[in-house]
Amino acid sequence: MDKFETELWYTEKQTPNHGITTRINRTLHHEKSEYQSIDVMETRQFGNMLVLDGMVMTTDKDEFVYHEMITHVAMNTHPEPKNVLVVGGGDGGAIREILKHPTVETATLVEIDGRVIEVSKQFFPEIAGRLDDPRVQVRVEDGIKHIREHQNAYDVILVDSTEPIGPAVGLFQKPFYQGIYDALREDGIMVAQTESPWFNRDLIRQVFRDISDIFPITRLYTASIPTYPSGLWSFTIGSKKFDPVEVDESKLPHLDTRYYRPEMHKALFQLPQFVQELIEK
Amino acid sequence: MDKFETELWYTEKQTPNHGITTRINRTLHHEKSEYQSIDVMETRQFGNMLVLDGMVMTTDKDEFVYHEMITHVAMNTHPEPKNVLVVGGGDGGAIREILKHPTVETATLVEIDGRVIEVSKQFFPEIAGRLDDPRVQVRVEDGIKHIREHQNAYDVILVDSTEPIGPAVGLFQKPFYQGIYDALREDGIMVAQTESPWFNRDLIRQVFRDISDIFPITRLYTASIPTYPSGLWSFTIGSKKFDPVEVDESKLPHLDTRYYRPEMHKALFQLPQFVQELIEK
């Protein structure tokens, strides 16, 4: 080793005044797609890292948390999910988790940016590797349009979006949730990633209120994701019939997971006080 | 505002390859005490920040999580904690939380570095402000020595240490936990901060095993702390008699807290799978 080693660090301002910095070995990919900038870096701490518009989307080492947690809470609340839709989620991680449920007949991925799918297949084979499963339908199109054209079609819909700026802004607005309601069957359930309880309190409050106005059952839960802002991430569920806190945990299947456990299913909804206050009137 | 604004950022390598970076307005204090370097900075995101030996100890904005969570789980598991000891914890935050329990007769702080106490009183009045309560005894001495000299003396002991390097290294070793066992009454309970489940897996495994060898009941739980490495922090309980998962939550007092809620007390022990695996043989 040389006396002076070149150190490369990727620094992301997660807020105007705070962020993470992580050492990289090299950049693997950079492009500007039709919708956003797409970067892949090889980091020392977290393996390969996918960055869209300067924001970490996923990494090899902690991706399992986000992908398991956006998927299994809703999937294990619905007693028999057959037709499942992912809006966004071009990396394929949510699809991989959905396919762990044997009831699934079709898993549809609607991603607006086809380049995210291709880049993920190339640099994240562990995440995107199940996109060629015969049950999977990949559609490169606008999620809002797809929702509008598929009424009463899905049992579970996952909104696996980027941050509420850029191409995903419409995925955080009330008309979109109404569209999801209409695209779900009469006992359907949705879940959306809804940012950090530390840094995005107004957004969480607003989304929870919007979903509550549309769905009879609304629930919030969190998970620990070290490469996301604040390390704590929230997910919001809207459900027409089945309440996640009413499931019989003893009957839930034990899937091959590293974060989600059936035994934590109900415990997830016992939120810290400062998070609980975000969803109370 | 000038066209070019000077931006100051504090960057902490939390591991050799990963860290946080946070914008500061100015440094408020720097010294080398007998034991460690002590820095206070005014940050934009988190208010005042206390840094010991280059590691964030606490900030105005997220200190409530650590201080509530190291305190109330053990305090609410013991039915009548009267005499409580904090080893370390010179900022006074754990003492503030202990005093919220009306059964407490004495709260003893044993901090090896008196300068941490003085600096905290000066720059963190919201955290250290209860150190002059008449129930509080502040002793500037070695916690290991204090434990040895006080057998069968405490109902609850909190090990509120710095990282397992520097002055706190002995606080992560098995003979210290045996000393705590002896310093507790026959129905006593201890809790120690035990680092990040993401970055300190070997340490968590070792401490859990050591405490399990000494105490009949051992439990692990976590909390979200954005300024700590990975944003997820663990705490390990050793108990002689009372099991935290057996408490009657309906009888727990509702204290004035922002993170801990009685309703989450048992749910805290439903760990993510990758954390659960750290504490199974």
Side-chain angles (χ1 to χ4, degrees), chain B residues 160-203:
Chain B
D160 181 2
S161 67
T162 51
E163 317 309 298
I165 50 171
V169 66
L171 306 185
F172 288 87
Q173 292 171 349
K174 195 168 179 180
F176 178 64
Y177 302 127
Q178 182 62 54
I180 287 180
Y181 184 93
D182 297 335
L184 286 167
R185 297 211 174 93
E186 64 184 8
D187 58 0
I189 182 168
M190 69 155 281
V191 60
Q193 77 83 3
T194 44
E195 310 286 306
S196 163
W198 287 97
F199 295 151
N200 309 94
R201 296 186 195 195
D202 291 343
L203 179 133

Side-chain angles (χ1 to χ4, degrees), chain A residues 9 18 61 72 77 81 89 92 131 136 141 179 186 206 214 219 248 252 268:
Chain A
W9 291 75
H18 186 75
K61 295 291 185 196
H72 299 306
T77 297
L131 287 174
V136 175
E141 64 179 349
E186 63 184 10
Q206 185 61 49
I214 297 167
R219 302 283 178 194
D248 181 350
L252 295 179
L268 286 170

Side-chain angles (χ1 to χ4, degrees), chain A residues 26-246:
Chain A
R26 55 189 177 133
T27 59
L28 296 172
H29 183 78
H30 170 73
E31 71 175 90
K32 293 254 184 196
S33 76
E34 186 180 350
Y35 296 98
Q36 56 206 335
S37 64
I38 302 174
D39 291 276
V40 181
M41 286 170 273
E42 183 184 295
T43 76
R44 292 204 174 189
Q45 189 78 47
F46 292 103
N48 285 0
M49 175 181 272
L50 176 66
V51 177
L52 299 182
D53 277 349
M55 290 171 281
V56 176
M57 287 299 112
T58 202
T59 80
D60 283 339
K61 295 291 185 196
D62 71 353
E63 59 89 8
F64 70 94
V65 182
Y66 179 84
H67 292 130
E68 291 179 11
M69 294 305 284
I70 198 171
T71 302
H72 299 306
V73 181
M75 291 290 286
N76 268 354
T77 297
H78 194 292
E80 201 181 6
K82 292 180 181 172
N83 305 108
V84 184
L85 171 66
V86 178
V87 178
D91 56 39
I95 291 288
R96 180 192 64 199
E97 297 302 317
I98 288 165
L99 295 178
K100 291 179 179 175
H101 293 260
T103 58
V104 171
E105 295 173 359
T106 65
T108 305
L109 181 77
V110 175
E111 162 66 56
I112 202 168
D113 190 346
R115 290 300 304 152
V116 173
I117 298 170
E118 295 312 313
V119 168
S120 298
K121 284 180 177 175
Q122 184 176 355
F123 295 104
F124 300 89
E126 298 282 325
I127 302 175
R130 302 302 302 279
L131 287 174
D132 54 5
D133 185 282
R135 290 166 289 177
V136 175
Q137 301 169 353
V138 176
R139 297 175 187 275
V140 177
E141 64 179 349
D142 180 8
I144 295 171
K145 176 170 166 286
H146 182 92
I147 286 282
R148 202 161 43 220
E149 294 170 355
H150 292 77
Q151 308 253 315
N152 194 33
Y154 294 107
D155 301 306
V156 177
I157 297 177
L158 315 183
V159 185
D160 181 1
S161 68
T162 52
E163 318 310 298
I165 51 172
V169 66
L171 305 185
F172 288 86
Q173 292 171 348
K174 195 168 179 181
F176 178 63
Y177 302 128
Q178 182 62 55
I180 288 181
Y181 184 92
D182 297 335
L184 285 167
R185 297 211 173 92
E186 63 184 10
D187 59 0
I189 182 168
M190 69 155 282
V191 60
Q193 77 83 3
T194 44
E195 309 285 307
S196 163
W198 287 96
F199 296 152
N200 308 93
R201 296 186 196 196
D202 291 343
L203 178 134
I204 290 172
R205 256 193 217 99
Q206 185 61 49
V207 168
F208 196 88
R209 202 178 297 132
D210 288 347
I211 293 179
S212 298
D213 286 346
I214 297 167
F215 286 83
I217 298 162
T218 314
R219 302 283 178 194
L220 186 91
Y221 61 97
T222 63
S224 154
I225 306 178
T227 57
Y228 280 14
S230 84
L232 187 70
W233 214 244
S234 76
F235 301 87
T236 306
I237 281 179
S239 181
K240 291 187 177 184
K241 180 175 177 186
F242 302 109
D243 190 337
V245 305
E246 301 290 339

Side-chain angles (χ1 to χ4, degrees), chain B residues 259-277:
Chain B
Y259 194 99
Y260 177 85
R261 298 167 64 222
E263 297 85 349
M264 71 160 47
H265 187 99
K266 292 184 186 181
L268 285 171
F269 300 94
Q270 295 300 349
L271 301 170
Q273 180 62 25
F274 81 101
V275 184
Q276 180 67 24
E277 287 170 5

Side-chain angles (χ1 to χ4, degrees), chain A residues 15 18-19 21-22 45 258 274, chain B residues 15 18-19 21-22 45 258 274:
Chain A
T15 77
H18 186 75
T21 187
T22 205
Q45 189 78 47
R258 286 187 281 162
F274 81 101
Chain B
T15 77
H18 187 75
T21 186
T22 206
Q45 188 79 46
R258 287 186 281 161
F274 81 101

